């Protein structure tokens, strides 16, 4: 007589094929995610499907969606509760940049480029609608192909191909723009130009990691510096050269809309290893050298400043530039004089390129001219909408002539996970060496959990990434890869000013107030990460306004990862459900009893004229 086995054993055996099928499907979708084919499709539907499948593969089947904290009774898996559908904006808002609106700009003074600075709309004029993508919008090419080619449909503006036709900036070829890597000052290409700089500046060995490109054009200089492992923050105004910053971001190059005008740049002191101006049309000698003083503020001790084009080598080029030689001579005299007052050492001048180096400490500047006024405070956080000052940012104290003021940095990539000098010296209140190491460890854990849910996170599908509340930059450090870059945003209302730490790690970022629009074009980020942003701004401004701004700058089928308290995310999810986002909320990686949750979302693909319902199914 046969012995009857345990029924549970039979269930286990019968479920084995199903488990194998699920595992095979997960592997299939993962491989499919790696095999990305960008451009010329109507959105990246593969990315959306993989994200949805990956969520199902990466989340435990018994995941609990009910809150377990306090006396809260709200379930956070009811996406249609109190949902308000948010309608699309009109076609005229396809390229809307709220704080750099052309019509509003023309109402401000033109003196010192004031009208090209940030001028945001008041609350009553803010749009409460979704910015549409243009017809035919497609997923950008993957890096590095995106450096050289941009789909015409994504930024359908041909003016630069005409205005800069002889300067090899950009060419229109059928249904794409091609970027040959040329520029006004590098007719032989960006690579040859960068090689010239590298003969003077240590670009090759990781000593120079962060760079600032003022008046960047389409950011070819920054685009080609990626090959040298140099990360460049590029900026240019929204002016008559239509869409230059938009082109930069479509290419996968960090850039923001900005200008050297009357207010300080939104970066901390001692941030960049190198600053650059290639015929950027900034009047460096004007206003008693105020713009050079601002470059000095953001340049690290020992950093380099490159100026190419007028007025350098004016004796040879004044006729070609069609400017009086006396005017150019006076302009260069003022620049040389200001560089001396700033205690910069001139390292090189050849052809139309001049290079200065900022001294490593104040020991070399003891005899500085009495005309120099030192700023009373070098508070790096006090720059948001603050006027530029006619004073020089003082060096940090040193004990000998070889010491780098503020602390020396290791070459990249070693500096990425080395304790930054601002933390080692205790100059950031509330942060210690141990807390830095713990933060680094924590974000590696968080990012690993993100990858289990969104399996294409580091596949190359997401090139332009933003961290809306970057802290110490550990999210970006955990993701560090040549395939991507992260714009680390430190909110102006954050408890700690950590942006200087971010730069000391060899990362880039910017100060910003999320009650206002970011200085970028629509559809310029592939993935947006926000850790406790909505808790931070809970009593400051509307969560809906912040979500609408996220939607504006996120590409169709771009991804969002929000980490916050369950009660906050429940409210956020209600709003976001009416925004054409596919949403899934999951428990903290340490289990359902943790009050912090994570919301994953993908912005649906839709373009002008698609007026279907915004509420997710």
């Amino acid at each position: 007589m046969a012995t009857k086995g345990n029924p549970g054993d039979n269930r286990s055996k019968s479920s084995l094929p199903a488990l194998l099928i699920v595992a095979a499907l997960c592997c299939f979708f993962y491989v499919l995610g790696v095999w990305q084919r960008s451009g010329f499709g109507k959105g990246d539907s593969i990315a959306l499907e993989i994200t949805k499948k990956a969520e199902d593969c990466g989340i435990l089947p018994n995941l609990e969606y009910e809150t377990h904290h306090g006396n809260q009774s709200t379930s956070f898996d009811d996406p249609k509760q109190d949902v308000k559908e948010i309608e699309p904006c009109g076609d005229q808002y396809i390229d809307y940049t709220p704080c750099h609106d052309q019509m509003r700009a023309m109402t401000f003074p033109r003196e010192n480029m004031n009208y090209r600075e940030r001028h945001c709309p008041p609350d009553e004029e803010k749009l409460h609608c979704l910015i549409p993508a243009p017809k035919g919008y497609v997923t950008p090419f993957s890096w590095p192909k995106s450096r050289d080619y941009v789909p015409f449909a994504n930024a359908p503006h041909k003016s630069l191909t005409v205005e800069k036709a002889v300067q090899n900036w950009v060419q229109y070829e059928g249904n794409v723009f091609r970027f040959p890597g040329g520029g006004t000052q590098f007719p032989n290409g960006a690579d040859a130009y960068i090689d010239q700089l590298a003969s003077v500046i240590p670009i090759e060995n990781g000593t120079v990691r962060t760079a600032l490109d003022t008046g960047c054009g389409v950011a070819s200089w920054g685009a080609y510096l990626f090959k040298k492992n140099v990360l460049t923050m590029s900026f240019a105004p929204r002016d008559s050269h239509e869409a230059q910053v938009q082109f930069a971001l479509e290419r996968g190059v960090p850039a923001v809309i900005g200008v050297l005008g009357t207010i300080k740049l939104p970066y901390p002191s001692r941030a960049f290893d190198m600053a650059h101006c290639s015929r950027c049309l900034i009047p460096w000698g004007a206003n008693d050298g105020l713009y050079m003083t601002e470059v000095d503020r953001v340049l690290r001790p020992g950093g380099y400043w490159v100026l190419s084009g007028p007025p350098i080598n004016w004796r040879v080029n004044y006729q070609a530039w069609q400017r009086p030689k006396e005017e150019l001579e006076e302009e260069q005299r003022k620049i040389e004089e200001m560089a001396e007052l700033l205690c910069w050492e001139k390292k090189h001048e050849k052809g139309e390129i001049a290079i200065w180096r900022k001294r490593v400490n104040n020991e070399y500047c003891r005899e500085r001219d009495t005309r120099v006024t030192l700023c009373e405070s070098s508070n790096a956080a006090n720059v948001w909408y603050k006027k530029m000052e006619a004073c020089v940012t003082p060096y940090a104290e040193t004990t000998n002539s070889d010491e780098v003021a503020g602390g020396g940095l290791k070459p990249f990539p070693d500096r990425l996970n080395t304790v930054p000098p601002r933390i080692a010296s205790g100059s950031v209140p509330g942060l210690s060496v141990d807390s830095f190491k713990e933060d680094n460890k924590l974000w590696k854990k968080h990012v690993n959990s993100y990858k289990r849910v969104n399996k294409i996170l580091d596949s190359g599908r997401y090139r332009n990434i933003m961290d809306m509340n970057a802290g110490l930059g550990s999210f970006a450090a955990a993701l560090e890869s040549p395939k991507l870059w992260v714009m680390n945003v430190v909110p102006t209302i954050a408890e700690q000013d950590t942006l200087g730490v971010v730069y000391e790690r060899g990362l880039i970022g910017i100060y910003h107030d999320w009650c206002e629009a970011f200085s970028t074009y629509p559809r310029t980020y592939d993935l947006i990460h926000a850790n406790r942003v909505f808790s931070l701004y809970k009593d400051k401004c509307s969560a809906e306004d912040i979500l609408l701004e996220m939607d504006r700058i996120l590409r169709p089928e771009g991804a969002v990862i929000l980490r916050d308290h369950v009660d906050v995310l429940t409210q956020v999810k209600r709003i976001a459900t009416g925004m054409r986002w596919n949403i899934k909320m999951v428990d903290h990686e340490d289990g359902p009893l943790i009050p912090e949750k994570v919301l994953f979302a993908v912005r649906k693909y839709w373009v002008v004229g698609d007026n279907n319902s915004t509420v997710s199914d």
Side-chain angles (χ1 to χ4, degrees):
M1 181 174 176
T3 303
K4 185 179 289 186
N6 188 324
D9 294 338
N10 290 333
R11 284 196 301 270
S12 298
K13 292 176 182 177
S14 63
S15 65
L16 184 59
L19 290 173
L20 290 173
I21 291 171
V22 170
L25 284 172
C26 289
C27 292
F28 170 74
F29 285 117
Y30 173 75
V31 172
L32 199 59
V34 174
W35 181 70
Q36 288 297 299
R37 182 171 61 86
S38 294
F40 307 114
K42 289 199 172 180
D44 191 351
S45 57
I46 294 177
L48 175 59
E49 289 303 314
I50 291 174
T51 302
K52 291 167 69 177
K53 297 290 184 183
E55 288 174 2
D56 294 335
C57 294
I59 300 173
L60 296 174
N62 64 343
L63 183 67
E64 296 182 65
Y65 285 90
E66 298 290 329
T67 179
H68 298 272
H69 315 293
N71 297 318
Q72 301 295 330
S73 59
T74 304
S75 166
F76 60 85
D77 72 343
D78 183 3
K80 291 185 171 61
Q81 183 178 1
D82 297 329
V83 170
K84 178 183 77 172
E85 290 194 37
I86 300 176
E87 298 300 322
C89 302
D91 299 5
Q92 69 271 31
Y93 293 108
I94 284 175
D95 289 329
Y96 183 52
T97 51
C99 296
H100 301 274
D101 179 69
Q102 294 286 63
M103 296 299 291
R104 181 178 292 105
M106 298 310 294
T107 66
F108 288 87
R110 298 177 70 88
E111 184 181 4
N112 295 326
M113 297 293 283
N114 177 276
Y115 75 121
R116 294 297 184 197
E117 294 180 315
R118 288 176 58 86
H119 300 291
C120 300
D123 286 345
E124 61 271 18
E125 293 182 20
K126 288 182 178 179
L127 296 181
H128 290 277
C129 51
L130 304 174
I131 303 296
K135 284 188 180 297
Y137 180 91
V138 297
T139 304
F141 297 106
S142 298
W143 184 267
K145 185 176 180 180
S146 66
R147 186 195 67 184
D148 302 327
Y149 295 97
V150 166
F152 170 75
N154 291 13
H157 305 293
K158 296 183 182 178
S159 60
L160 276 177
T161 66
V162 177
E163 293 180 32
K164 302 294 180 180
V166 300
Q167 295 168 9
N168 224 20
W169 278 29
V170 55
Q171 298 170 356
Y172 175 61
E173 299 178 353
N175 55 359
V176 298
F177 289 109
R178 185 170 72 88
F179 296 83
T184 310
Q185 288 304 128
F186 29 98
N188 297 320
D191 278 334
Y193 178 79
I194 289 169
D195 286 343
Q196 282 184 276
L197 303 184
S199 67
V200 181
I201 303 171
I203 293 175
E204 305 278 356
N205 63 5
T207 300
V208 170
R209 163 63 177 176
T210 58
L212 179 69
D213 193 10
T214 58
C216 66
V218 294
S220 288
W221 187 70
Y224 280 78
L225 275 171
F226 271 112
K227 292 198 292 187
K228 307 290 188 182
N229 214 11
V230 175
L231 196 53
T232 306
M233 174 71 78
S234 300
F235 71 81
R238 176 163 188 168
D239 58 12
S240 58
H241 297 332
E242 194 170 25
Q244 52 187 338
V245 167
Q246 188 177 23
F247 278 137
L249 286 153
E250 283 294 321
R251 299 175 72 186
V253 181
V256 293
I257 302 171
V259 65
L260 267 170
T262 66
I263 60 174
K264 293 183 178 182
L265 296 173
Y267 314 114
S269 300
R270 309 196 318 267
F272 296 98
D273 300 315
M274 176 169 56
H276 173 259
C277 161
S278 172
R279 203 167 189 172
C280 61
L281 304 181
I282 294 172
W284 295 109
N287 299 326
D288 297 321
L290 191 64
Y291 301 141
M292 291 179 66
T293 301
E294 180 63 1
V295 169
D296 180 78
R297 181 185 71 81
V298 300
L299 200 59
R300 292 197 71 254
Y304 296 85
W305 185 55
V306 179
L307 176 61
S308 66
I312 305 304
N313 202 14
W314 57 268
R315 289 182 178 85
V316 174
N317 294 300
Y318 75 92
Q319 288 181 324
W321 292 334
Q322 297 181 342
R323 290 178 57 187
K325 60 181 179 181
E326 294 80 13
E327 178 183 295
L328 288 162
E329 181 181 17
E330 177 63 9
E331 187 177 330
Q332 179 152 359
R333 186 194 65 78
K334 287 182 177 179
I335 290 171
E336 300 279 7
E337 183 181 77
M338 192 64 211
E340 189 174 338
L341 292 176
L342 291 170
C343 199
W344 293 355
E345 178 187 9
K346 192 167 190 180
K347 303 293 290 186
H348 173 86
E349 182 176 332
K350 185 176 181 181
E352 296 176 21
I353 300 175
I355 301 173
W356 287 264
R357 189 184 187 207
K358 182 176 177 177
R359 301 285 189 172
V360 296
N361 59 43
N362 196 48
E363 294 295 319
Y364 297 94
C365 310
R366 296 295 184 188
E367 304 300 322
R368 205 197 296 252
D369 196 293
T370 55
R371 289 175 291 169
V372 171
T373 302
L374 295 180
C375 302
E376 293 183 7
S377 171
S378 59
N379 184 1
N382 194 28
V383 300
W384 189 245
Y385 287 125
K386 293 294 188 296
K387 294 287 185 182
M388 287 187 202
E389 301 175 84
C391 58
V392 177
T393 304
Y395 284 96
E397 291 297 321
T398 54
T399 57
N400 60 68
S401 60
D402 297 325
E403 185 180 354
V404 178
L409 296 177
K410 292 186 176 181
F412 193 84
D414 291 346
R415 72 170 74 168
L416 183 63
N417 293 304
T418 301
V419 178
R422 294 180 208 231
I423 289 181
S425 65
S427 59
V428 183
L431 293 177
S432 65
V433 171
D434 288 342
S435 64
F436 170 79
K437 292 179 178 178
E438 186 60 32
D439 187 76
N440 226 16
K441 181 179 177 181
L442 177 65
W443 279 103
K444 286 179 181 177
K445 175 182 175 182
H446 287 335
V447 168
N448 283 335
S449 74
Y450 294 164
K451 290 177 181 178
R452 289 195 294 271
V453 177
N454 185 342
K455 295 185 182 295
I456 60 172
L457 187 59
D458 59 357
S459 69
R461 168 61 179 80
Y462 306 123
R463 169 69 181 173
N464 303 356
I465 297 177
M466 174 179 284
D467 192 357
M468 294 176 66
N469 187 16
L472 301 178
S474 296
F475 167 77
L479 277 178
E480 170 59 28
S481 164
K483 300 175 185 176
L484 57 86
W485 57 270
V486 180
M487 180 68 76
N488 293 281
V489 180
V490 172
T492 56
I493 63 170
E495 291 183 8
Q496 296 165 318
D497 173 24
T498 54
L499 192 53
V501 171
V502 169
Y503 275 93
E504 287 180 342
R505 301 186 72 174
L507 305 169
I508 59 170
I510 196 168
Y511 293 114
H512 184 65
D513 180 358
W514 285 113
C515 289
E516 298 180 356
F518 195 74
S519 291
T520 192
Y521 282 81
R523 303 172 302 280
T524 45
Y525 284 88
D526 304 302
L527 184 146
I528 299 176
H529 176 260
N531 175 45
R532 294 189 172 269
V533 164
F534 292 94
S535 289
L536 181 65
Y537 280 92
K538 189 173 183 179
D539 300 318
K540 304 295 182 182
C541 52
S542 162
E544 181 177 308
D545 284 348
I546 297 174
L547 283 164
L548 284 171
E549 176 60 7
M550 292 173 66
D551 186 83
R552 184 184 75 87
I553 67 179
L554 187 66
R555 295 192 192 281
E557 294 199 317
V560 172
I561 304 174
L562 307 180
R563 178 178 287 271
D564 217 314
H565 192 279
V566 59
D567 301 329
V568 175
L569 285 188
T570 299
Q571 301 303 318
V572 167
K573 185 180 180 185
R574 264 185 218 134
I575 301 168
T577 299
M579 292 173 52
R580 305 189 181 198
W581 288 10
N582 285 329
I583 300 169
K584 192 172 189 92
M585 186 127 69
V586 305
D587 281 325
H588 190 282
E589 57 264 28
D590 289 340
L593 298 181
I594 308 297
E596 184 176 81
K597 307 295 178 185
V598 184
L599 185 151
F600 292 87
V602 175
R603 184 189 179 201
K604 292 181 181 179
Y605 176 88
W606 63 280
V607 299
V608 165
D610 291 349
N611 293 316
N612 53 299
S613 172
T614 61
V615 178
S616 300
D617 296 328

